[in-house]
Amino acid sequence: MYNVLIFGASGSIGTQTLDVLKRLNEDYKLVAFTIGNRVEYVDKILNDFKDVKAICLKNEEDVELFKNKYPNINFYAGSAGLLDILDDKSINIDIVVNALTGFAGLLPSIKSLSLNKILCLANKESLVVGGEFITKLLKEGKGRLYPIDSEHVAIAKCLYNKNKNDIDKILITASGGPFFDTPIDEFKNITVEKALNHPTWKMGKKITIDSSTMMNKAFEIVEAYYLFNVDANKIEPIVDRHSKVHSMVKYKNGDIYLNVGPSDMRIPIYYALTFGKCDKDKFDDVEINTYSNYHFYQMNYEKFPLINYGKYIIQKRGNSGAIINAANEECVYAFLNKRINYIDIKSIIDKIVAMYQFIDNPSLDDILRTDHEVRLLVNKLIESK
Ligand SMILES: NC(=O)c1ccc[n+]([C@@H]2O[C@H](COP(=O)([O-])OP(=O)(O)OC[C@H]3O[C@@H](n4cnc5c(N)ncnc54)[C@H](OP(=O)(O)O)[C@@H]3O)[C@@H](O)[C@H]2O)c1
């Protein structure tokens, strides 16, 4: 029996995790969840899952409202609540699904592993910003980590029963996003609506913008590095416009293993929650002829230079992931709120990387300070424009 907590239950990954839990047998019980602003999900989730005993909401006022409505449930609020809920004595959590967006996911990931939980991780930013901390916790503790990203689940499948020394390349596929065919001189005219129109995946807004700039792929390169512990030079992006080939591993003997399947995040979520199982009866099956038209493209680094930050973060380490992540998050939200143009995202991130102090061997406090200060700096730059 596994007691499950979902961080970010109202989001794209969170709601799909709820759907997967319904398809799993009674061995899995949802006992706790967290939601940000979309509190309209609370009643529905409680109606569908009767074992919930603890909930965290972002806003104190929402907590007051729901406390009265559900007196038998323990409520928590804000970012402190995201950590306190893990200590709730009325629930004995086994599995934590971290489906928060951005830096908000870091401390919940770290605390889950410190408490030796099984962490099913969609929040790739946890590894981008805190890869070194998470690796140490996994080495020293009893916590376990299962990725939820489709590419990393695909890589795990291609690596199954293989010797890591035999790997020649890990090829992380990218859809190419909405601007793969857009000429570079038209990037200045990219609107929020166009950038949110992802060709193959329906996801939260932040990751959708990151997919269009390829910062998402940069982050996935870092994620692959920490998850599979392979040399950064062996990790390369490659474009599959259909998002049907979820990633590939090329071995030194010339064999290429690829994982093919529908663009359905519930499959990697199921794989993570069951520690490596697939079940074709629970989701759409693969009709091989649908995917027979394989064609891969090279990544266009000139058009999508932000992808270079993946290898940069791996090589530089220190607080470089925290700097780039915070700058990116602030720029993405500024773009979504129409405070900056699409092409400003890259120029501001580049400026911040050049300006902000690099720390070689940061403490967790250094990382938190970096995140906070970089956000202030980005907003100062935006306001001074
Ligand atoms: N979506 C995908 O297909 C996909 C695929 C692979 C990996 N991922 C990764 O999974 C993570 C989640 O992505 P998503 O697309 O599911 O995002 P999303 O739809 O925006 O959902 C994010 C969730 O986190 C909550 N949240 C965000 N900031 C919060 C904060 N400061 N405090 C409390 N709750 C907060 C949101 O609450 P409210 O919405 O209620 O405010 C929501 O429940 C990201 O790291 C992304 O890179 C996503």
Side-chain angles (χ1 to χ4, degrees), residues 65-322:
L65 280 176
F66 282 101
K67 244 184 191 170
N68 294 330
K69 195 167 175 188
Y70 299 106
N72 296 328
I73 291 179
N74 297 333
F75 279 89
Y76 298 86
S79 46
L82 290 177
L83 302 179
D84 294 343
I85 196 169
L86 284 161
D87 296 320
D88 190 308
K89 295 280 179 287
S90 69
I91 45 173
N92 192 6
I93 301 158
D94 302 293
I95 298 179
V96 172
V97 176
N98 188 344
L100 294 166
T101 353
F103 188 81
L106 174 70
L107 293 181
S109 286
I110 287 183
K111 179 152 182 186
S112 300
L113 291 176
S114 310
L115 295 171
N116 296 319
K117 307 294 179 198
I118 299 165
L119 176 61
C120 297
L121 186 66
N123 180 264
K124 62 193 82 180
E125 294 90 341
S126 290
L127 285 168
V128 170
V129 173
E132 298 295 322
F133 297 95
I134 286 176
T135 305
K136 190 163 184 277
L137 281 167
L138 287 168
K139 263 190 201 142
E140 292 173 359
K142 291 205 174 89
R144 279 148 61 192
L145 177 62
Y146 293 89
I148 281 184
D149 239 343
S150 56
E151 291 80 356
H152 302 80
V153 166
I155 294 164
K157 289 177 182 174
C158 295
L159 290 173
Y160 182 70
N161 261 348
K162 298 281 176 200
N163 187 335
K164 249 197 247 166
N165 296 327
D166 295 336
I167 298 172
D168 178 41
K169 283 256 179 281
I170 288 182
L171 297 158
I172 304 191
T173 47
S175 71
F179 308 125
F180 188 70
D181 298 316
T182 307
I184 200 163
D185 54 2
E186 284 178 25
F187 272 36
K188 60 182 181 304
N189 302 322
I190 289 173
T191 60
V192 170
E193 293 66 31
K194 280 183 192 160
L196 285 177
N197 189 20
H198 195 278
T200 52
W201 294 102
K202 206 172 162 353
M203 310 176 283
K205 286 184 180 175
K206 197 262 180 184
I207 184 179
T208 305
I209 302 299
D210 286 348
S211 299
S212 79
T213 61
M214 294 298 152
M215 187 59 107
N216 181 51
K217 214 44 62 183
F219 286 177
E220 286 178 5
I221 289 172
V222 181
E223 193 183 358
Y225 170 77
Y226 282 112
L227 288 170
F228 305 113
N229 190 20
V230 289
D231 195 304
N233 295 326
K234 293 191 172 182
I235 308 172
E236 294 298 338
I238 191 161
V239 176
D240 164 33
R241 295 293 282 146
H242 304 291
S243 296
K244 299 298 183 207
V245 176
H246 297 302
S247 276
M248 305 183 244
V249 177
K250 183 171 185 221
Y251 288 95
K252 284 177 183 161
N253 67 0
D255 274 354
I256 299 177
Y257 282 58
L258 45 83
N259 174 250
V260 180
S263 317
D264 182 347
M265 281 309 295
R266 293 171 307 172
I267 296 168
I269 294 169
Y270 184 91
Y271 190 86
L273 281 170
T274 56
F275 324 128
K277 290 200 179 81
C278 306
D279 187 341
K280 76 174 177 57
D281 297 331
K282 289 201 162 59
F283 307 100
D284 285 347
D285 197 7
V286 176
E287 171 43 67
I288 193 68
N289 285 329
T290 321
Y291 306 141
S292 56
N293 192 10
Y294 296 107
H295 190 98
F296 300 104
Y297 301 86
Q298 292 306 310
M299 179 54 65
N300 186 332
Y301 288 88
E302 195 200 343
K303 230 190 226 185
F304 303 107
L306 287 180
I307 196 167
N308 291 312
Y309 277 127
K311 298 256 170 102
Y312 176 90
I313 292 169
I314 297 171
Q315 274 141 19
K316 247 345 221 170
R317 291 165 198 262
N319 63 343
S320 64

